[in-house]
Amino acid sequence: MFRTALRNVLAHKARLLMTVLAVMLGVAFVSGTLVFTDTLGNALRNQSAKSYDNVAVAVTTYADQTDEKTPGITTATLEKIQGLDGVGTATGRVSGFAGVADPEGKLIGNGWSNTGANYFPGKDGKDAAYTFSDGDGPTAADRIALDEETARKGEYRVGDRVRVATNGPVKEYTLSGVFTTEDGAVNAGGSLVLFDTEVAQKLYLRPGVFREATVSAAPGASADKLLAEVKPLLPKDAEAKTGKALADEQAKDITEGLSGLNTMLLAFAGIALFVGVFLIANTFTMLVAQRTKELALMRAVGASRRQVKRSVLLEAAFVGLIASVIGFVLGLGLAVALRSAMGAFGAKVPAGPLVVSPTAVGASFAVGVVVTLLAAWLPARRAAKIPPVAAMNSVHATATVKSLVLRNSIGSVITLLGAAAIVGGAAKSGSTGRTVIAVGAFLTLIGVIVLIPLLSRPVIALVRPLLRKVFGVAGKLAAQNAVRNPRRTGTTASALAIGLTLVTGISVLGVTLGQAVDRATTDNIKADYMVTMANGHALDESALTALEKSGKISAVSPQQATGFEVRGEYQSASAVTPGDVQQVFALTTVSGSLDSLGKGEIAVSDKTAKSNGWKTGDTLRVKFEDDKSGELKVGAVFEENTFLSPVLVPTDIADQHGSLANIREIWLTTDGGATDANEQAVVDALGNNPAMSIMDRQDIRNMFGGSVNLAMNIMYGLLAMALIIAVLGVVNTLAMSVFERQQEIGMLRAIGLDRRRVKRMIRLEAVVISLFGAVVGIGLGVFLGWAIGQTLSSEIPGYVLVLPWGRIGIFLALAAAVGVLAALWPARNAAKLNMLTAIKTE
């Protein structure tokens, strides 16, 4: 039986090609994901461990520039640590945001990982953390050093003047040196600027104070002993650990951080393999059908049912193994490509070897072989049931009424249960509802897959008159062929249906969320521009003052985060400029007047007022952030605005009770609206600061909607694998169907059906199957998109379901195109058949 199985694989190489491709693509996705995440994790762990190579003890404090109660590590404390026996060096560190401008004044790097730190030279005049490729470290107040990548991007050389922005005004420094670094911020696409230690302390903390410290051990000294001696010297808020302990913690964090990426990619690999199951099952079903005589003869000469079944499963194992080998090799290439793609997006992956773990190898081969065997099990079981003296009919003779009733009954129950779960999940909100929907979606998909052969007849029957009227005999035959074997048609269409269910669901959600964001921007904003820090931190008050003094700006208001306690509960608020806030935000008054902000009163959103029982004229007893108590009068109630907190207070009140302004955004309107000249005026008013981002309304739309579009594009890209496999399924089904129907096609040719109409018949059959799968998938996708959207509606103001009719039309057109393309090879083969040879084919 082993030789028989091997012979059958070699005898049907062309017919098994599509199955090999399907399994190969799925395995490539699995192996590529595992190898990529193992490689990335190993490189990051090595990088992390390298940064602690010479660290015996690392000290971290929570010292903050705005809070002098957290003292940090003073120079005196650092000197005491340096004086301990067994200490090699004690290095103080302080860091914060620093953005470097390129020659055009634009920020180099991505903002959130642009970092500034201090250069701490030892007795030899060098800082062991940095290796300089040109020049040396900054040892004067007007000098800085840059990492190599930032210097390259800015085309800076030693001696050049460089504009650097921190949280305050932009300053110019002379570049003293360029260094190499494995700093995580730089690898993530950011930049690193080194300042003289005194300068960095003034910028980020306080003179003579460090936030962190690293201690290296003298030869032979114990890290644990040093840790015990260092701890008593530290302030109460400080945390000290050995370098090894920190390296182990970071390695664990890296592994956990990559697990989410790993799970997501493997989920899409699972979808691709699930779609591939239908192609594999179809292939082996048709191969078994074509070998009915052969299998019956084997039974007649003594082969048992178990041996026949084992023979078919051995064929599947051979195919799975071959596909797994090829897929694994392709997966290695995919892992390399993913690593390169990260670099293309600005994230520098640390150097390191490609890691091929036993887990990745074992999982890839196990997945490929097991999936193929599972998909081939049902055809193998059917093959084993062929009686020794068979009437040489196809194993796919019409199923009995009992079997069809049982199948359709089971499918109906599963589908109804799944639909009920989806509707029930939609009635809930948040992650609980989405979890219920996920379970319901799985059940519904399984139920529809079971029912799809039943659905194929009535659905295709609807288009049969159109096909006959437009395409004549070719159209009529195509419709009949599409429903001749409902199980085969259903299995082929199921693969497309699954892919399009997911794609359509994502599209419905994406377009709906995108338009909700767009409406939120349009309905809530009047401002021409929004100013923020590129790193997401708070803006300095000097930026607001500069904009208020600009002549071309007609109205300006901060969105300054503040708050207070009312009846023991904290209430967040936005500090705004009275009078100007109405000109930069679209605010609708429910009661009272927003002009009352100018009198020191507050405004409350309608939802907050209703939930707390507040109304215009009420006086609230509050406790401010500086622990002082006072009274605030509600002067107005307004309709909730997405971009503002539920309570508005004048900036004067917030400044009186806050230690430092927490200005997240500045909104402004200009004379004449958003123009290039006005934007330049805003840039000039801010001192051409590269660390400040200036966005007009379209930029704001893109910022909030960009993440939605990016997520959709990533999903489309990942689901493309499943759709490619679905297309291969259509090709395979048609090719083997043509092979089975050689005699029939020869007869049709003999009675007058020319080659052109034979090709048209096969193409139309493919289009009908593809469109059938697309209609089922799109219908399910819309249903799922609606359900998931309902769980999000309470979290997104102005949420309204939007059906992307344009994209749905594109999906249908693509499905039809898939049918046409998939039929090219089978249709050509059918048209080339010699009619006399085909008629004589058994």
Side-chain angles (χ1 to χ4, degrees), residues 2 57 154 254-255 369 387 462 493 499 672:
F2 180 85
V57 176
I254 289 167
T255 301
V369 175
L462 292 174

Side-chain angles (χ1 to χ4, degrees), residues 23-353:
V23 179
M24 177 191 75
L25 291 173
V27 170
F29 215 144
V30 172
S31 61
T33 295
L34 294 174
V35 171
F36 169 67
T37 51
D38 285 346
T39 299
L40 182 59
N42 182 67
L44 292 173
R45 283 189 293 272
N46 287 342
Q47 179 195 54
S48 175
K50 187 178 178 181
S51 65
Y52 290 105
D53 276 350
N54 298 315
V55 176
V57 176
V59 182
T60 304
T61 72
Y62 299 96
D64 189 90
Q65 193 173 30
T66 63
D67 185 6
E68 295 187 5
K69 294 179 182 179
T70 51
I73 304 166
T74 63
T75 302
T77 300
L78 199 65
E79 289 174 352
K80 290 179 182 178
I81 295 173
Q82 180 69 69
L84 294 173
D85 290 337
V87 171
T89 59
T91 304
R93 299 293 182 194
V94 62
S95 61
F97 170 75
V100 180
D102 66 14
E104 296 180 357
K106 302 296 184 182
L107 180 69
I108 297 174
N110 51 30
W112 59 269
S113 59
N114 288 354
T115 309
N118 66 301
Y119 179 74
F120 195 98
K123 294 178 181 178
D124 60 354
K126 297 179 180 180
D127 190 327
Y130 307 103
T131 302
F132 281 79
S133 57
D134 192 13
D136 51 26
T139 54
D142 66 337
R143 293 181 176 271
I144 61 166
L146 294 176
D147 67 272
E148 274 189 344
E149 188 66 14
T150 302
R152 183 190 65 77
K153 290 177 181 177
E155 300 177 358
Y156 291 123
R157 296 185 178 182
V158 173
D160 288 350
R161 298 289 286 175
V162 182
R163 297 176 70 247
V164 180
T166 53
N167 288 335
V170 182
K171 293 183 180 180
E172 279 198 354
Y173 300 86
T174 299
L175 183 63
S176 66
V178 177
F179 58 90
T180 59
T181 180
E182 288 295 327
D183 186 271
V186 176
N187 287 332
S191 61
L192 178 59
V193 183
L194 296 181
F195 298 94
D196 174 68
T197 292
E198 291 184 4
V199 173
Q201 288 175 327
K202 290 177 183 177
L203 284 173
Y204 302 125
L205 200 53
R206 292 180 294 278
V209 180
F210 298 97
R211 184 175 288 115
E212 300 170 351
T214 56
V215 180
S216 66
S222 165
D224 291 329
K225 183 180 178 183
L226 285 179
L227 178 64
E229 293 177 351
V230 167
K231 278 186 175 181
L233 303 177
L234 302 175
K236 291 181 180 180
D237 75 316
E239 183 179 4
K241 294 183 179 179
T242 63
K244 183 180 183 307
L246 284 174
D248 292 342
E249 284 183 9
Q250 287 203 6
K252 182 180 178 183
D253 292 340
I254 289 167
T255 301
E256 291 176 354
L258 289 173
S259 65
L261 174 64
N262 201 29
T263 301
M264 183 187 74
L265 292 175
L266 287 176
F268 283 96
I271 292 169
L273 287 166
F274 184 58
V275 171
V277 165
F278 297 97
L279 189 158
I280 300 164
N282 246 3
T283 301
F284 278 95
T285 296
M286 288 185 281
L287 284 175
V288 168
Q290 292 165 14
R291 288 159 45 200
T292 302
K293 286 184 178 181
E294 176 189 327
L295 294 172
L297 182 59
M298 289 175 63
R299 290 294 312 281
V301 296
S304 66
R305 288 188 175 186
R306 180 177 296 179
Q307 287 177 311
V308 171
K309 183 178 179 180
R310 190 182 301 159
S311 173
V312 176
L313 290 177
L314 276 172
E315 289 180 49
F318 282 130
V319 171
L321 186 61
I322 293 167
S324 296
V325 171
I326 301 171
F328 184 77
V329 174
L330 285 178
L332 297 180
L334 179 61
V336 173
L338 285 171
R339 186 171 176 171
S340 301
M342 288 187 69
F345 282 103
K348 182 182 175 184
V349 180

